[in-house]
Amino acid sequence: MSERPARHGLRRAMVWEVAARDLLATLRDRRTLNATILMPLILIPLFTLGLPLMLGNFIGGQQQERQTIGVSGPLPAPLRAALERDETLPDGTVVRAGVTLVPVSDPQAAVQSGDVDAALRVPATLPDRAGTGQGTLELHAKLGNLRAQTGAYSKVTDVIDSYNRTLAVQRLGEQGLNESVLQTITVKPVDASTAQEKRSGQLAFLIPMLMLQFIVSGAMATAVDATAGEKERGTLESLLVSPVRRAEVVAGKLLATTLTALTSAAFSVAGFLLSGLAMRLYLQRQPGAATALSGSMGGQLTLSPGSLLTLLGIAASAALIISALLIAVGIYARTFKEAQTYIAPITMVVVLPAVLLQFADFLTFGLGVYAVPIIGGMIAILEIVRGAALPSHALIAIGANLLAALLLGLLALRSFGREEVIFRN
């Protein structure tokens, strides 16, 4: 294929014409529209709002549900009564239901068979007065089971702790002492987290992960179709012999792919904001233990205008580098299917670092990590969500993404100029 003489500069009209051509091809695919627009609006609220609420309701429901506890051996009457007693609010609302005690001969077998939620074994008579000896109470439960941990096991351990304290207070009263002697020093927890850190909760790491994942999925459809897809259909050659410079072809395809990725990113941000609004409304109407748990785990993203613009700037730079990478990889592939095979590992490059962000509290990041393309942007997004972002960190992350996008764009341009790549089929 003959190469036309190179000229300096890009003609914006040609770039937009190539971009519009690829965007039109993307818009014709309804599945791509669903993945770009509908999926962020559905999945993001589901993860950031639905997951904490569901977990909170499960745990709260276990506390209000009456579990069955097997008993092997004699229990002191006050301890038995404490286990069976419901804890209620002044208005009669049950905060924590008691348990139903049933006799069993083999506690371990009863728990394993599912006949009881947990079982107590009393090897020897338990003391009913503090200072008269110590007793051991075996608590059989499936400790790896979250339902058991938050239900029967949690209730029994809480009641035992309360029962031990009650006996100790009674013995102190007999000696003319007050229970305050048991606590020479008390600890008063004071949360030093900022308001935004409290609202973002423990699921804040999901935001950069989901946002970058949707950017990849949004860019992938356009990039693969505009490169390997056109090679497979035989339409790329006709585009390259038209009066359009190679640089304009690459710029147009990069623009179309970036716009698709940014559309997906914009709807992912909208999904986060909608879930935050829904969470606040829910907490206002349902104040209680389960909703408090949901609030602590996240789902209340609130951003200032400056933070929102910074977040969008990082997302735009990430969309640009991911688009350039996908185009550089896609043009090398012979077929659409081969391009998807090459691109599949790229999603892991995004997902794995984002998953590791949940351990960010254990790590100390230097300025150098923000200069790592994509990863630095993820960390900066996490800081923005938590309200601890520094402008310098965001600028370094954006600059690193733009520089990497420029290098990948030049690589894609070089590939578009090589006949052995264009006709690699």
Side-chain angles (χ1 to χ4, degrees), residues 295-313:
S296 67
M297 295 193 68
Q300 301 183 71
L301 178 63
T302 55
L303 298 175
S304 64
S307 297
L308 181 59
L309 290 176
T310 305
L311 182 65
L312 292 177

Side-chain angles (χ1 to χ4, degrees), residues 19 55 69 122 133 136 140 151 164 174 217 227 239 262 279 301 337 342 349 369 373 423:
L55 184 58
I69 306 292
V122 188
T136 300
H140 297 253
N164 286 333
E174 295 173 0
S217 62
T227 53
L239 175 63
L262 286 178
M279 175 64 82
L301 178 63
K337 185 176 181 179
Y342 292 156
V349 175
V369 73
F423 293 102

Side-chain angles (χ1 to χ4, degrees), residues 75 79 83 120 126 137 139 155-165:
L75 280 178
L79 178 57
L83 288 169
L120 300 173
L126 297 176
L137 181 64
L139 175 54
K155 287 182 180 179
V156 171
T157 54
D158 288 346
V159 170
I160 295 297
D161 289 341
S162 178
Y163 180 73
N164 286 333
R165 185 176 182 86

Side-chain angles (χ1 to χ4, degrees), residues 63 65-67 69 75-87 95-101 120 126 137 139 149-168:
Q63 290 296 306
E65 181 181 336
R66 197 172 189 89
Q67 288 85 16
I69 306 292
L75 280 178
L79 178 57
R80 178 180 289 271
L83 288 169
E84 295 177 331
R85 184 170 54 246
D86 294 340
E87 292 186 11
V95 177
R96 186 175 66 181
V99 300
T100 301
L101 300 178
L120 300 173
L126 297 176
L137 181 64
L139 175 54
Q149 288 181 358
T150 59
Y153 182 85
S154 173
K155 287 182 180 179
V156 171
T157 54
D158 288 346
V159 170
I160 295 297
D161 289 341
S162 178
Y163 180 73
N164 286 333
R165 185 176 182 86
T166 300
L167 294 182

Side-chain angles (χ1 to χ4, degrees), residues 190-207:
V190 179
D191 193 352
S193 304
T194 63
Q196 181 59 38
E197 287 176 323
K198 295 176 183 177
R199 287 193 296 266
S200 62
Q202 299 300 315
L203 296 182
F205 77 95
L206 280 178
I207 294 179

